[in-house]
Amino acid sequence: MKFILKTIIKILIFSLLLIIPTGLFITFFTLNQRDIPVWNIGIRNIILFAKNLSLPIIAISYLVATLFTISLIDKMKVRSLFLLHIPPLFICVALIIGVSFIQQSKKYPLSIIEKKIQLGYRTFLREDVFNDVKDNALMLKRSDQNLFTVYIYDKTKNNLMVLNNMNMEKKGGNSVFIDRNKKQMVLTFRQKKKDTSLKIPYSDFNKQGGIINNKIILFYVEHLRRTLLSFKVYFETLAEDDKSIFLVTVFLSILMISIPFTYALNDGGWGFSGIIGEIFVLALLPFLYGAVLKIVQNISLNLSFLGRYSYLFPPIIFCSIGILIDIAIKVRGIKKGI
């Protein structure tokens, strides 16, 4: 009982400490994946975007805190896998009940529905300097309160085009418009008695502070993106009530897999090595979940025994993997006399 209480307290403390760094990481990662330059989006937008991601931020902070706590447990002092599961599952159930209660509150609802953040030309371009935009360079010079002169330099053709009286506040005519749906900036102007549009995707703008240009990191990020997309496709086919059940069971399955796996990689006292094991588990999870989800989606199975809950088949597989890891650790421990 004493071990359970100490573990619960540690997990809660680490969860609180990790909320802000985890929130910033998830927010910046999500914005970066949408080609939105986070360096100039504004603190107000970042807070709004983080609020929209409050549920995954809480869940991931709790997961990382749980694995961090387990990675520091001395295996020579705690040998019961059953005891190891009780504190995280207890907190998880409490969090689910708490989040469900908050979700029903009209005053403080937690939502994963994205609200539109405010994007303008200043998000992508600085005034009075040339901004790199793939094969072009753009410069804005204010000529009136709401009007600008736009200089477009084509690097490939060594050609400079000057657009006068460009409006930044409305669509149509001589204007610069941010199209959020198509993720592009649209410059509309009249040239040779003909309306012309120059469309610049978000991804063409120079993204300072983006993901490190490393092949391993880019490979991992791409696989993580594909796994999340697979879950999104699977998730969106479910009814509203079933979505909540699916998310809860998937998160419980993550705990079922990661807790024994992290414990198995803990060398019993060398904290630094245990933390490396935790990082390894977190890095491995997207590959494991992506592979299982892909197999489930590519094969047809008769899941009539699950009735209307057949959508829970992937989480059941994940939980079963966790149980098998538990059994393997226990059998190995018996053989070694641990």
Side-chain angles (χ1 to χ4, degrees), residues 91 128 205 219 268 277 311:
I91 298 173
D128 300 323
F205 292 91
F219 170 75
Y311 63 86

Side-chain angles (χ1 to χ4, degrees), residues 86-337:
I86 292 177
L89 292 177
F90 175 82
I91 298 173
C92 184
V93 171
L95 281 174
I96 290 169
I97 294 173
V99 167
S100 299
F101 178 78
I102 295 172
Q103 285 286 74
Q104 295 172 7
S105 169
K106 294 181 179 179
K107 194 173 182 181
Y108 302 108
L110 293 174
S111 175
I112 56 174
I113 299 174
E114 181 183 344
K115 297 177 183 176
K116 286 186 178 180
I117 58 176
Q118 297 298 317
L119 296 177
Y121 72 93
R122 290 191 184 92
T123 306
F124 301 91
L125 300 171
R126 289 185 299 161
E127 297 179 21
D128 300 323
V129 295
F130 273 103
N131 301 265
D132 286 326
V133 186
K134 205 171 182 179
D135 294 331
N136 296 309
L138 269 67
M139 181 169 68
L140 309 179
K141 289 189 74 71
R142 191 180 294 271
S143 56
D144 196 358
Q145 185 175 0
N146 297 320
L147 298 177
F148 287 79
T149 299
V150 178
Y151 299 85
I152 305 176
Y153 175 66
D154 189 329
K155 300 175 186 177
T156 58
K157 298 178 181 179
N158 192 26
N159 180 56
L160 180 65
M161 182 166 53
V162 181
L163 308 176
N164 296 310
N165 300 322
M166 298 290 286
N167 196 308
M168 302 292 173
E169 295 184 353
K170 66 178 182 179
K171 183 180 179 182
N174 287 357
S175 64
V176 176
F177 171 67
I178 304 296
D179 189 338
R180 293 176 177 83
N181 295 325
K182 295 183 179 180
K183 297 181 181 180
Q184 61 187 12
M185 177 183 286
V186 183
L187 286 82
T188 306
F189 52 93
R190 194 164 186 81
Q191 190 179 44
K192 296 179 180 179
K193 298 182 180 180
K194 183 180 179 182
D195 289 335
T196 306
S197 293
L198 174 63
K199 300 176 181 179
I200 307 173
Y202 290 174
S203 56
D204 283 0
F205 292 91
N206 182 26
K207 295 185 292 180
Q208 299 176 13
I211 294 175
I212 298 172
N213 189 20
N214 180 284
K215 289 184 179 179
I216 296 176
I217 294 177
L218 292 175
F219 170 75
Y220 178 78
V221 169
E222 178 61 21
H223 192 87
L224 177 61
R225 187 188 65 80
R226 290 180 183 178
T227 301
L228 292 174
L229 184 61
S230 297
F231 266 104
K232 184 179 180 182
V233 171
Y234 193 91
F235 178 78
E236 288 179 345
T237 60
L238 304 176
E240 287 302 317
D241 293 339
D242 293 332
K243 286 179 179 179
S244 299
I245 298 172
F246 177 74
L247 287 176
V248 169
T249 51
V250 167
F251 189 71
L252 286 173
S253 73
I254 292 174
L255 289 176
M256 291 292 292
I257 291 175
S258 56
I259 288 173
F261 207 175
T262 302
Y263 183 73
L265 293 174
N266 186 359
D267 61 3
W270 293 92
F272 183 68
S273 297
I275 294 170
I276 291 176
E278 176 201 357
I279 295 171
F280 176 76
V281 172
L282 290 171
L284 182 67
L285 285 175
F287 294 94
L288 175 62
Y289 275 71
V292 173
L293 201 60
K294 189 174 182 180
I295 292 171
V296 170
Q297 290 173 340
N298 289 339
I299 61 175
S300 56
L301 295 171
N302 184 7
L303 303 175
S304 57
F305 65 97
L306 290 174
R308 65 175 293 268
Y309 297 103
S310 59
Y311 63 86
L312 292 178
F313 184 62
I316 290 172
I317 294 177
F318 299 138
C319 287
S320 302
I321 293 172
I323 293 170
L324 290 175
I325 295 172
D326 267 345
I327 294 172
I329 293 171
K330 192 64 179 176
V331 170
R332 185 171 177 271
I334 293 172
K335 286 182 178 179
K336 289 193 171 186

